[in-house]
Amino acid sequence: MSNFFASAERRKSVAVEVGRVAVGGGAPVVVQSMTNTDTADVEGTARQVAALARAGSELVRITVDRDEAAAAVPKIKERLLKLGVDTPIIGDFHYIGHKLLAEHPACAEALDKYRINPGNVGFKEKKDRQFGSIIEMAIKHGKPVRIGANWGSLDQELLTKLMDENARATAPRDARAVTREAMVQSALSSAARAEEIGLPRNRIILSAKVSAVQDLIAVYLDLGRRSDYALHLGLTEAGMGSKGIVASSAALGVLMQRGIGDTIRISLTPEPGGDRTVEVKVAQELLQTMGFRTFVPLVAACPGCGRTTSTTFQELARDIQDFIHTSMPEWKKRYPGVEGLTVAVMGCIVNGPGESKHADIGISLPGTGEQPAAPVFIDGKKAVTLRGATVAADFKKMVIDYIERRYGAGAGRSAAE
């Protein structure tokens, strides 16, 4: 998409290969997600990874927290391949990652990337040794590593040192600024140590997650200025529902518009028993709304007002959007480029015809008191006026016909003829 947002200059970062997925180095921003199953449950975890992958997650992270989980990883990978899912899997390690990787070499080999937290990879005299052990394992198996500092589990020795230095300064900064600096230093010094041990720069991804929007923006702007490592973005503990969506979108949107971010995750707290794939859909919608990538056809619909007391346009907009999302897995195979389609479903004459003309295919439904007629516009020109009880069904059929004509197997031949 060629617009102002898509033309924002990307920060130049080192390219990293995570399985079959390119991260950084100018590659499109990658969507990542994480399971919330017990990784020891092979079938349950494989099912959720597959669901996330089919929803559009290009990388999926799983928790590897104990022996049973580590032993399950190669079985999960095997099960996924049988399901036809080859999405790269990331192992999330805390506290005993060095032990699990050493004692479960099949797990170390099956994973496509390791994620470690410098704040809890080891403490005091064990820290360097255990960190080094994980990096050496990554080198041995040829795996990239995400070094992810986190506000809630920050290296306390480093933080204490910086706080003490700040207290002695002639113009001390506030505590939050010092904590942000500790986040950046933790990530950068850990990356430097990994390179000293022998992990190539093109196998390192950094992250520095916090839960407040302004802190996240400040940390990543600083991290982006001070390094060229590939960066993973995410607002940790973003929350549930609209709060989590708005907070994540605000923070990540600002950063990506500044050219910062090579992979993203929307860390939503799901409703009890809720659909984990929502975080994938939100990440895709954020990238597509900002014009950085296209995943599914866009449906433009007016919000409704006193001129649209009928619910017809709302129902049609919902039906078309649901129909598109349901159809996309098959459409991607049959209709290359269909994700760039735009559809408009408008509710009255004020903006209806104009918005419909801007879409590839659009309909302007009659508002309150208007004539019971619904003009349909295709490629900017009025094609037909629909009337009667079958307007919704007729328009849906027109959308399908348009997709077949424009993106189907005979589309290129027809254009040439």
Side-chain angles (χ1 to χ4, degrees):
M1 299 177 71
S2 57
N3 58 27
F4 169 76
F5 296 105
S7 65
E9 186 177 349
R10 289 283 299 280
R11 165 183 170 270
K12 291 179 175 62
S13 60
V14 175
V16 181
E17 293 293 326
V18 182
R20 59 180 179 78
V21 176
V23 172
V29 180
V30 173
V31 173
Q32 182 173 316
S33 62
M34 186 175 184
T35 59
N36 63 354
T37 56
D38 179 356
T39 305
D41 175 5
V42 173
E43 190 61 32
T45 301
R47 278 199 307 269
Q48 191 173 86
V49 171
L52 290 165
R54 287 167 183 155
S57 184
E58 294 155 305
L59 301 172
V60 178
R61 183 158 49 111
I62 62 175
T63 297
V64 187
D65 58 345
R66 63 194 196 280
D67 287 307
E68 293 82 357
V73 169
K75 298 174 185 176
I76 291 167
K77 195 71 176 279
E78 182 180 353
R79 179 71 181 126
L80 286 169
L81 291 174
K82 286 181 179 178
L83 292 171
V85 177
D86 62 352
T87 301
I89 304 300
I90 301 161
D92 193 53
F93 295 98
H94 297 276
Y95 305 107
I96 58 170
H98 61 289
K99 175 178 177 292
L100 295 175
L101 286 168
E103 295 179 1
H104 297 272
C107 167
E109 181 56 39
L111 291 169
D112 295 284
K113 185 175 80 170
Y114 310 154
R115 187 266 180 166
I116 57 177
N117 182 341
N120 59 33
V121 73
F123 302 99
K124 297 188 182 298
E125 70 280 355
K126 295 180 180 180
K127 179 180 177 181
D128 286 345
R129 183 172 72 254
Q130 292 174 182
F131 177 84
S133 175
I134 296 174
I135 298 302
E136 286 168 2
M137 195 64 65
I139 295 168
K140 176 181 177 180
H141 292 279
K143 308 295 182 179
V145 176
R146 171 155 73 92
I147 298 171
N150 194 296
W151 189 272
S153 51
L154 187 55
D155 183 335
Q156 291 303 301
E157 289 185 54
L158 174 61
L159 180 59
T160 299
K161 172 178 173 289
L162 293 180
M163 286 292 187
D164 289 344
E165 290 175 357
N166 186 63
R168 295 192 296 269
T170 54
R173 297 179 291 173
D174 65 74
R176 293 189 78 86
V178 177
T179 305
R180 291 195 295 265
E181 174 62 21
M183 291 278 292
V184 173
Q185 285 196 26
S186 177
L188 292 178
S189 62
S190 297
R193 177 61 184 142
E195 286 196 67
E196 286 175 8
I197 294 169
L199 187 67
R201 201 173 188 80
N202 64 357
R203 288 190 195 156
I204 298 173
I205 297 173
L206 299 186
S207 66
K209 291 189 172 183
V210 302
S211 56
V213 170
Q214 295 297 340
D215 286 323
L216 189 86
I217 293 170
V219 165
Y220 273 96
L221 288 176
D222 203 6
L223 198 55
R225 282 192 296 265
R226 291 161 64 174
S227 79
D228 63 355
Y229 294 108
L231 298 179
H232 169 74
L233 302 185
L235 187 75
T236 192
E237 287 90 44
M240 183 178 284
S242 60
K243 185 271 179 185
I245 293 172
V246 170
S248 292
S249 298
L252 273 57
V254 168
L255 289 168
M256 287 192 294
Q257 185 56 31
R258 298 283 191 93
I260 293 173
D262 299 294
T263 74
I264 65 169
R265 182 193 172 203
I266 305 294
S267 301
L268 296 180
T269 303
E271 297 287 344
D275 185 355
R276 191 70 169 177
T277 65
V278 171
E279 67 177 56
V280 179
K281 294 172 185 174
V282 173
Q284 289 183 326
E285 287 171 3
L286 174 59
L287 287 169
Q288 185 154 342
T289 299
M290 293 195 70
F292 292 125
R293 294 187 64 182
T294 54
F295 298 96
V296 296
L298 287 177
V299 179
C302 68
C305 66
R307 299 178 62 92
T308 56
T309 52
S310 167
T311 61
T312 303
F313 85 95
Q314 298 164 328
E315 292 162 0
L316 181 56
R318 180 196 59 200
D319 289 349
I320 292 292
Q321 190 153 291
D322 289 348
F323 172 64
I324 285 171
H325 279 281
T326 302
S327 303
M328 275 307 290
E330 180 62 26
W331 284 0
K332 283 181 180 178
K333 301 173 188 174
R334 293 180 57 192
Y335 305 118
V338 70
E339 62 273 10
L341 176 73
T342 57
V343 181
V345 180
M346 306 303 294
C348 79
I349 199 171
V350 173
N351 290 316
E355 288 289 348
S356 297
K357 288 177 184 177
H358 288 302
D360 293 319
I361 179 168
I363 186 169
S364 179
L365 293 163
T368 305
E370 294 177 17
Q371 292 294 318
V376 175
F377 297 83
I378 296 178
D379 295 329
K381 298 178 181 178
K382 183 178 175 181
V384 68
T385 298
L386 300 178
R387 293 182 173 84
T390 62
V391 165
D394 293 343
F395 181 65
K396 187 182 290 187
K397 183 178 184 304
M398 291 184 73
V399 172
I400 297 170
D401 290 345
Y402 181 86
I403 289 170
E404 179 63 45
R405 187 169 66 254
R406 179 171 174 180
Y407 301 102
R413 184 173 63 253
S414 298
E417 295 169 353

